[in-house]
């Protein structure tokens, strides 16, 4: 059984740039959720994708957007990067929208 | 608004010294309470799900319990490899299953 994988592991960008983060869900899982974790804080929900549609969104601006593909993998896109976007971005997959969420290793984003 | 508060923020134990971590929550219609372990710079690792008051689950030196207002993670005779941040999260309501997390308890177990 393959776990959740994310790429890249680390990324450095400058303010105003755009970034795309990728996530492959665990084998058999059809739902992907994205979280942002600032240093010393718990993860905060960004949005969830189920059957290629956004199925819920947290308190994040529209410059945070996403996609889910037919193979259930997902992308998180962030436009017009700000310094406060520096964080660990976590992807979690689950079987159905109510299933236990299993997390990937995360992508560490630094915005300078 | 769903809220999760974890205490203490940090805990230092000697190897073999048992203790408990607390997770207090307010949520409308609890669907599940989750415990995760997170090592520095890594993603959270799933430990337990609890669904109703009175439920208990165990795994090695860890035991999680749930009441209507809080959950405890009991650590019995901890070892240095138990050092990590322990996160508590609630899943509430219907529809999409967002997790609302606490800030975590950072546990350090010294040999």
């Amino acid at each position: 059984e393959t776990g959740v994988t994310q790429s890249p592991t680390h990324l450095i960008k400058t303010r105003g740039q755009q970034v795309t983060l990728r996530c492959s869900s665990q084998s058999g899982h059809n739902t992907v959720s994205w979280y942002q974790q600032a240093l010393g804080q718990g993860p905060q929900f960004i949005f969830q994708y189920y059957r290629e549609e956004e199925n819920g969104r947290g308190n994040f601006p529209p410059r945070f957007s996403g996609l889910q593909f037919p193979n259930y993998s997902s992308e998180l896109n962030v436009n017009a990067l700000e310094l406060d976007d520096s964080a660990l971005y976590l992807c979690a997959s689950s079987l159905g929208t109510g299933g236990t969420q299993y997390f990937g290793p995360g992508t560490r984003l630094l915005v300078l | 608004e769903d809220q999760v508060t974890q205490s203490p923020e940090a805990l230092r134990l000697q190897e073999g010294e048992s203790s408990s971590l607390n997770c207090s929550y307010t949520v409308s219609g609890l669907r599940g309470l989750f415990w995760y372990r997170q090592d520095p710079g890594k993603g959270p690792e799933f430990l337990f799900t609890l669904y109703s008051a009175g439920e208990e689950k165990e795994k090695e030196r860890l035991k999680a319990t749930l009441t209507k207002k809080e959950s405890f993670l009991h650590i019995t005779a901890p070892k240095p490899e138990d050092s990590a941040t322990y996160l508590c999260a609630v899943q509430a309501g219907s529809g999409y299953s967002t997790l609302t997390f606490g800030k975590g308890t950072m546990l350090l177990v010294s040999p």
Side-chain angles (χ1 to χ4, degrees), chain A residues 21-36:
Chain A
L21 310 182
R22 295 178 174 83
C23 170
S24 291
S25 60
Q26 183 170 315
S27 177
H29 286 183
N30 56 12
T31 304
V32 171
S33 303
W34 286 92
Y35 294 82
Q36 180 195 66

Side-chain angles (χ1 to χ4, degrees), chain B residues 22-41:
Chain B
N22 177 264
C23 170
S24 298
Y25 64 91
T26 54
V27 65
S28 52
L30 179 71
R31 178 182 282 185
L33 185 139
F34 298 79
W35 283 98
Y36 289 86
R37 169 195 169 125
Q38 186 174 30
D39 292 306

Side-chain angles (χ1 to χ4, degrees), chain B residues 7-21 75 77-80 82-86 104-111:
Chain B
S7 61
E9 290 185 5
L11 181 62
R12 185 165 190 160
L13 300 173
Q14 290 294 120
E15 184 171 3
E17 180 186 1
S18 301
S19 188
S20 296
L21 313 183
I75 304 176
K79 297 182 177 182
D82 295 322
S83 298
T85 294
Y86 290 85
T105 293
M106 186 183 303
L107 174 66
L108 178 62
V109 182
S110 303

Side-chain angles (χ1 to χ4, degrees), chain A residues 13 27 32 35 38 50 56 60-61 63 69 74 80 87 89 91 94 96-97 99-100 102 105:
Chain A
K13 291 285 187 178
S27 177
V32 171
Y35 294 82
Y50 173 65
F60 281 82
R63 60 189 184 84
F69 300 99
S74 177
Y89 287 85
C91 164
S94 58
T97 58
T100 297
Y102 295 87

Side-chain angles (χ1 to χ4, degrees), chain A residues 37 41 45 48 55 97 101, chain B residues 36 38 43 96-98 103:
Chain A
Q37 187 176 25
Q41 303 295 314
F45 175 70
Q48 182 182 80
N55 186 49
T97 58
Q101 295 184 22
Chain B
Y36 289 86
Q38 186 174 30
Y96 65 89
S97 59
T98 177
K103 292 184 178 181

Side-chain angles (χ1 to χ4, degrees), chain B residues 25-81:
Chain B
Y25 64 91
T26 54
V27 65
S28 52
L30 179 71
R31 178 182 282 185
L33 185 139
F34 298 79
W35 283 98
Y36 289 86
R37 169 195 169 125
Q38 186 174 30
D39 292 306
K42 305 286 180 64
E45 175 190 346
F46 171 72
L47 294 173
F48 304 108
T49 310
L50 302 167
Y51 294 103
S52 56
E55 190 175 358
E56 299 182 353
K57 288 196 176 169
E58 287 188 64
K59 179 181 179 179
E60 296 181 356
R61 295 176 293 282
L62 301 177
K63 178 180 176 180
T65 62
L66 180 65
T67 72
K68 288 186 178 179
K69 293 183 179 180
E70 57 191 350
S71 177
F72 292 93
L73 185 66
H74 307 278
I75 304 176
T76 302
K79 297 182 177 182
E81 53 262 42

